[in-house]
Amino acid sequence: MRYLPKSPADRVEMLDAIGVPNVDSLFESVPAEYRLTRDLNIPRQHSESEVLDRFKAFAANIASGEIAEAKPAKQYASFLGAGAYRHYRPVVIDSLVQRGEFLTSYTPYQPEIAQGTLQATFEFQTMICELTGMEIANASMYDGSTGCAEAVMMAVRITGRSSAIVARTVHPEYREVLRTTVQHQGIPVSEVEYMRESGAVDLAALDAAINDDTACVLIQSPNFFGTIEDVKAIAEIAHKKGALLIVSIAEALSLGIVQPPVDADIVSLEAQSFGVAVGFGGPYCGVLACKEKFLRQMPGRLCGETKDVNGKRGFVLTLSTREQHIRREKATSNICTNQALVSLMVTVYLTVYGKQGLRDLAEQNLAKAAYLHSALEKAGAKKLFTGPSFNEFAVSLPASAEATNAKLLDSQIIGGLSLSQWYPELGEGASLWCATELTTKAQMDAVTEAL
Amino acid sequence: MSYPANYRFAKSHEWLSLEGENGTVGITDYAQSSLGDIVFVELPKVGQQVEAGSTFGSVESVKAVSDLYAPVSGTVTEVNEALNDAPETINSDANNVWLIKLAVTNTDEANALLSAEDYEKFVAEETGH
């Protein structure tokens, strides 16, 4: 919202213009007994610098739950992942995205937008295709969870079938977003179990669950437990019965080392790991990528490369004819805002690291996770699943996850995410731990010590 | 622009060729020229029921998408699959490139459609020349 300052003289002029003596007379239609005659019971106003100081203090102390009072900043070690990953952000990302040409251009709608913006989007799409093994990628979506919902609706349009199967190993909050999105679209969603030993989708149960009405199977890999799914085997099961396979990827960095889901029909990727800071719930950067034959059913827009009349290379927005600004209520999707600036962060990140850099980084994550596992084992934790994993894994701790985390917090450590709220069958001690390249050996040793 | 005398025309710019109860539907020469380069045609599935005036698909040009309306009610018996690979043939020969074939349920509905002559007048009025 724009900030419009008004002086007392401005107020008088405005009141004169509409012919009332004072502001109170605007509320005369509200009976006197319902009007508030005292001041609101809230603290006095703060100056901008006071507000900034206050929030900086909040940010520093929020982990401890001590947010009421500003205290000196504390450094916490965090082992949380579960869909939001802390990775190093090269400073060049912010210096580039904060250039006025990028920062001030709102999500570009018209084909006539700046060539620089278009080229950045084109490169983003190209790199996403290379990473995911898909043939086309769109110019980005809100986030990984809405991307899943869009992919399911896409599969329903493509197959002409009406229901969807989602693995219980897909992020619980992604599943919630999916249910919210499709609940009024006549798309029933059923869930398929995981194998208690490996933590991967139960293939036999999946095979039995797919019927002639199943438009798609939605899985996540690495899944919510960190286990890498057998995408090829799942694709075979789905395709055999005419259903599409959608693979959701929450930890994009896994693509640096895990084989891309080339057997999928649609990939819904959350690209936050690539240079987007973990904030209070956002922003995130969703991406949809798919096989080219599904192009017309993909929501959002694409950016294409072409030549102008003089034969010079140029970039254009294309295939936006099914978007809301052209097709109104008949649009393929109601998502009309992509994450142009955030996807630019992703583009810069991928350009900085490159193919080998991404692989090296992924290997570091793998090594750190292995060390974290051994550190937790020393403290009595047992790995819950045998399936292969990337930088995240589920363990069972002797005490409840809540009790363990409360204890760790005293040593400035934010422990793993408790799993029992979504998976009560795993027990109170089940939690999900993540190590990235930013996790230090000292931090991991501190966990062993504190427990 | 040409409009075959043995066809019937809807105000939504589709043509209907009726032989007994077998209807063939396409879009008019005027429609293709207004849309410009056609890049995609979305067609229904065989067996789908359509009502006169209801949408049965869409036709997409570079910067617009238009719905296709059934001129009469019926069941889709055939769709022109060739359009998936070559939608641009509509631009070159709109009168002869069909979209769907219908088993028409009520042939009387065709009487409500325009003749070639009336359709030409209708288009002239609509475009103002």
Side-chain angles (χ1 to χ4, degrees):
Chain A
M1 202 159 94
R2 280 173 71 203
Y3 174 58
L4 298 169
K6 298 178 292 295
S7 68
D10 291 336
R11 287 171 202 267
V12 170
E13 200 180 320
M14 286 157 74
L15 290 167
D16 277 353
I18 56 172
V20 292
N22 50 45
V23 173
D24 284 343
S25 55
L26 292 172
F27 297 99
E28 261 167 13
S29 56
V30 179
E33 70 258 40
Y34 296 122
R35 280 185 250 160
L36 196 66
T37 50
R38 56 170 174 79
D39 281 340
L40 289 173
N41 186 21
I42 53 172
R44 65 162 188 87
Q45 70 273 32
H46 283 59
S47 68
E48 182 182 295
S49 61
E50 281 173 315
V51 172
L52 284 176
D53 286 348
R54 199 171 162 82
F55 274 94
K56 276 180 192 158
F58 279 179
N61 291 293
I62 197 154
S64 61
E66 301 160 9
I67 59 169
E69 293 301 322
K71 291 185 174 176
K74 292 178 184 171
Q75 288 297 316
Y76 283 83
S78 170
F79 295 93
L80 290 176
Y85 301 93
R86 294 175 317 116
H87 291 293
Y88 182 68
R89 302 180 69 236
V91 288
V92 65
I93 294 177
D94 283 342
S95 39
L96 282 177
V97 300
Q98 284 176 17
R99 284 183 64 99
E101 302 93 316
F102 288 124
L103 191 63
T104 59
S105 61
Y106 175 63
T107 177
Y109 265 96
Q110 296 304 322
E112 300 82 11
I113 57 170
Q115 283 293 307
T117 303
L118 288 168
Q119 182 174 354
T121 301
F122 181 80
E123 285 177 6
F124 169 78
Q125 292 172 177
T126 306
M127 287 190 275
I128 294 294
C129 285
E130 284 174 356
L131 267 174
T132 57
M134 292 288 109
E135 290 163 350
I136 54 166
N138 74 7
S140 78
M141 321 272 304
Y142 285 149
D143 61 17
S145 68
T146 53
C148 285
E150 291 291 337
V152 166
M153 290 191 285
M154 216 177 135
V156 166
R157 290 193 297 270
I158 292 165
T159 58
R161 298 174 171 196
S162 71
S163 65
I165 293 175
V166 53
R168 226 175 132 231
T169 49
V170 171
H171 196 306
E173 286 166 346
Y174 281 28
R175 281 183 278 142
E176 230 171 280
V177 169
L178 171 67
R179 276 193 292 271
T180 305
T181 310
V182 303
Q183 63 181 332
H184 298 302
Q185 309 230 7
I187 304 174
V189 176
S190 56
E191 295 190 344
V192 67
E193 281 295 333
Y194 57 91
M195 287 179 287
R196 282 300 295 274
E197 204 189 311
S198 66
V201 171
D202 185 333
L203 300 184
L206 176 68
D207 194 31
I210 305 175
N211 59 36
D212 291 346
D213 197 39
T214 308
C216 60
V217 174
L218 168 64
I219 62 160
Q220 179 180 328
S221 184
N223 69 24
F224 190 65
F225 301 141
T227 304
I228 297 163
E229 299 278 2
D230 187 346
V231 177
K232 196 177 166 67
I234 295 171
E236 269 169 29
I237 293 170
H239 292 159
K240 190 179 70 192
K241 296 189 176 177
L244 301 185
L245 174 65
I246 302 166
V247 176
S248 164
I249 301 171
E251 170 51 296
L253 188 62
S254 64
L255 290 168
I257 200 160
V258 178
Q259 196 192 355
V262 287
D263 301 292
D265 298 286
I266 307 169
V267 172
S268 167
L269 179 78
E270 169 53 65
Q272 176 268 324
S273 290
F274 296 149
V276 186
V278 177
F280 289 85
Y284 282 78
C285 180
V287 191
L288 265 194
C290 67
K291 297 278 165 66
E292 193 175 351
K293 60 184 170 186
F294 305 135
L295 182 74
R296 298 277 166 185
Q297 296 300 343
M298 178 181 256
R301 73 202 77 187
L302 277 84
C303 185
E305 186 185 3
T306 187
K307 283 196 174 85
D308 70 5
V309 286
N310 302 317
K312 280 188 190 157
R313 187 169 80 140
F315 299 91
V316 286
L317 272 188
T318 179
L319 285 158
S320 51
T321 39
R322 274 148 206 275
E323 279 215 289
Q324 184 186 258
H325 67 296
I326 292 179
R327 272 225 105 186
R328 299 294 166 192
E329 83 284 1
K330 286 177 178 168
T332 308
S333 160
N334 288 325
I335 289 196
C336 58
T337 300
N338 71 346
Q339 302 280 39
L341 194 70
V342 190
S343 70
L344 181 65
M345 291 180 194
V346 173
T347 311
V348 176
Y349 182 95
L350 289 173
T351 310
V352 168
Y353 276 96
K355 203 172 176 178
Q356 190 56 44
L358 217 55
R359 195 183 164 86
D360 294 347
L361 199 57
E363 277 171 0
Q364 262 194 58
N365 275 252
L366 206 58
K368 293 274 171 99
Y371 190 84
L372 176 63
H373 179 224
S374 66
L376 284 166
E377 260 185 342
K378 280 181 208 151
K382 286 196 171 55
K383 213 169 174 185
L384 270 171
F385 303 111
T386 55
S389 56
F390 176 56
N391 63 0
E392 206 168 9
F393 55 89
V395 295
S396 181
L397 294 151
S400 80
E402 273 75 16
T404 304
N405 283 348
K407 198 165 154 193
L408 288 173
L409 213 46
D410 292 338
S411 312
Q412 255 95 284
I413 297 167
I414 301 165
L417 181 76
S418 168
L419 288 171
S420 60
Q421 54 177 320
W422 295 296
Y423 305 93
E425 70 273 18
L426 296 179
E428 293 291 312
S431 57
L432 186 66
W433 292 71
C434 177
T436 69
E437 75 280 5
L438 293 179
T439 313
T440 63
K441 183 170 176 291
Q443 288 173 337
M444 296 189 274
D445 291 337
V447 173
T448 317
E449 238 166 78
L451 285 178
Chain B
M1 306 269 169
S2 74
Y3 307 107
N6 56 336
Y7 285 9
R8 306 291 289 180
F9 298 84
K11 286 186 175 174
S12 47
H13 309 290
E14 291 84 14
W15 55 255
L16 170 77
S17 160
L18 197 59
E19 283 175 36
E21 286 171 353
N22 299 320
T24 305
V25 179
I27 64 167
T28 68
D29 207 8
Y30 168 74
Q32 70 75 19
S33 95
S34 311
L35 279 166
D37 291 343
I38 292 170
V39 292
F40 182 66
V41 186
E42 188 188 8
L43 295 171
K45 290 204 158 47
V46 169
Q48 192 174 317
Q49 308 276 331
V50 297
E51 297 284 322
S54 68
T55 61
F56 68 82
S58 65
V59 57
E60 185 170 341
S61 63
V62 180
K63 217 187 163 179
V65 184
S66 300
D67 283 321
L68 294 162
Y69 298 92
V72 288
S73 310
T75 309
V76 178
T77 56
E78 232 183 299
V79 298
N80 191 350
E81 304 279 356
L83 291 176
N84 289 335
D85 297 324
E88 68 280 2
T89 53
I90 297 175
N91 287 114
S92 53
D93 193 8
N95 287 329
N96 293 307
V97 178
W98 58 279
L99 305 172
I100 55 167
K101 297 199 176 179
L102 286 174
V104 180
T105 41
N106 181 3
T107 51
D108 288 347
E109 283 176 354
N111 298 331
L113 300 172
L114 304 173
S115 66
E117 200 181 325
D118 288 342
Y119 177 71
E120 201 166 357
K121 273 187 207 150
F122 168 74
V123 168
E125 277 164 28
E126 204 174 53
T127 55
H129 51 76

